[in-house]
């Protein structure tokens, strides 16, 4: 069993990375081999619309033809049993790096036929983890729920069965709020939530990792 986590955050030791590492810890507890990929360490672009992945008889049909730092990651994903996607939410969407990665991962498998079929060669389980500063009560109002459902649905439709996403809200953004223009938030309430609620979120991530590394027949 191989579980790969994709970190779409530029921060390697903060909310998203902490959640992904905890999920991988849960997967490892079930004997899974785990790997964390930090997208911001890589030099790559999103889809360049070359359509080599759609060319009839082409040598890159069904896979991305672009060669860069993302190429070996996509190859390793093809051999994984489960994938965790993690991203903070910036301006009501996943980060630019995650979006570029998502284009390169998913688009080659989407077929331009009347059935809108997919040609992903395996059956890979997946899950999304989203972290954000917004309060949970505002997720629907700002359209976040639609974004989460769309990404989860595309993963399920293309790669295989998807676990319900985890949304970590009202996150702690700074070590010291006094250093930043941030009067919209109460630093004490942020610190309190970080101490009391974030550990619960981490436990949910751990449990998610356990589920991803547990064979479906045993669940």
């Amino acid at each position: 069993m191989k579980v790969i986590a994709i970190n779409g955050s530029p921060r390697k030791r903060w909310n998203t990375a902490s959640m992904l590492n905890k999920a991988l810890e849960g997967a490892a507890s079930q004997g899974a081999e785990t790997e964390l990929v930090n997208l911001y360490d890589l030099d790559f672009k999103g889809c360049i619309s070359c359509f080599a992945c759609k060319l009839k008889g082409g040598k890159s049909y069904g896979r991305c033809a672009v060669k860069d730092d993302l190429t070996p990651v996509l190859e390793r994903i093809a051999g994984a049993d489960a994938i965790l996607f993690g991203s903070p939410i910036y301006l009501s969407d996943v980060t630019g790096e995650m979006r570029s990665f998502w284009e390169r991962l998913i688009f080659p498998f989407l077929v331009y036929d009347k059935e809108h079929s997919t040609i992903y060669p395996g059956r890979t389980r997946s899950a999304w983890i989203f972290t954000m500063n917004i309060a949970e009560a505002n997720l629907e109002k700002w359209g976040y729920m639609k974004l989460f459902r769309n990404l989860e649905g595309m993963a399920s439709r293309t790669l295989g069965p998807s676990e319900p996403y985890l949304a970590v809200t009202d996150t702690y953004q700074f070590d010291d709020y006094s250093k930043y223009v941030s009067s919209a938030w109460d630093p004490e309430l942020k610190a309190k939530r970080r101490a009391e609620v974030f550990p619960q979120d981490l436990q949910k991530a751990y449990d998610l990792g356990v589920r991803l590394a547990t064979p479906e027949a045993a669940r």
Side-chain angles (χ1 to χ4, degrees):
M1 170 68 72
K2 176 66 181 289
V3 180
I4 295 179
I6 307 297
N7 181 19
S9 172
R11 307 169 85 176
K12 298 180 183 179
R13 295 178 178 84
W14 209 245
N15 299 311
T16 304
S18 295
M19 290 288 290
L20 290 174
N21 277 311
K22 201 65 177 180
L24 290 180
E25 183 182 325
S29 75
Q30 303 303 302
E33 177 188 351
T34 64
E35 177 185 358
L36 177 66
V37 176
N38 291 298
L39 292 181
Y40 277 80
D41 284 346
L42 308 179
D43 184 9
F44 71 99
K45 292 181 174 64
C47 176
I48 63 171
S49 197
C50 68
F51 291 103
C53 63
K54 306 285 185 281
L55 184 64
K56 294 179 180 179
K59 62 180 181 179
S60 294
Y61 182 78
R63 59 188 178 85
C64 185
V66 177
K67 304 299 181 184
D68 54 21
D69 286 359
L70 196 59
T71 303
V73 176
L74 296 175
E75 292 173 352
R76 295 201 299 278
I77 286 175
D81 299 288
I83 311 171
L84 275 162
F85 307 105
S87 178
I89 300 300
Y90 292 171
L91 300 177
S92 301
D93 208 336
V94 294
T95 62
E97 298 296 284
M98 176 56 80
R99 177 66 193 187
S100 293
F101 162 79
W102 190 242
E103 292 172 358
R104 296 274 300 280
L105 173 66
I106 297 296
F107 186 64
F109 303 127
L110 303 182
V111 182
Y112 281 176
D113 57 14
K114 293 181 179 179
E115 295 73 30
H116 302 291
S117 57
T118 65
I119 53 173
Y120 184 69
R123 182 176 169 82
T124 303
R125 294 158 67 185
S126 66
W128 276 93
I129 295 176
F130 305 102
T131 65
M132 65 220 76
N133 185 49
I134 196 171
E136 184 176 2
N138 292 325
L139 292 182
E140 193 72 55
K141 175 183 177 181
W142 290 99
Y144 284 34
M145 301 293 287
K146 182 179 180 180
L147 169 69
F148 302 160
R149 289 191 292 263
N150 285 346
L151 291 170
E152 181 182 88
M154 189 172 294
S156 180
R157 175 174 171 267
T158 306
L159 305 175
S162 179
E163 288 286 330
Y165 65 81
L166 289 181
V168 183
T169 59
D170 199 7
T171 53
Y172 201 60
Q173 291 182 291
F174 319 115
D175 286 322
D176 186 349
Y177 274 72
S178 68
K179 294 180 178 179
Y180 302 89
V181 178
S182 57
S183 59
W185 299 284
D186 185 325
E188 292 186 2
L189 290 179
K190 281 287 191 179
K192 185 174 187 293
R193 184 174 179 86
R194 178 73 172 187
E196 297 177 0
V197 178
F198 194 61
Q200 299 174 30
D201 292 325
L202 291 173
Q203 183 60 51
K204 292 176 183 177
Y206 182 92
D207 295 341
L208 173 60
V210 169
R211 293 196 301 274
L212 284 176
T214 302
E216 290 182 85
R219 298 171 62 191

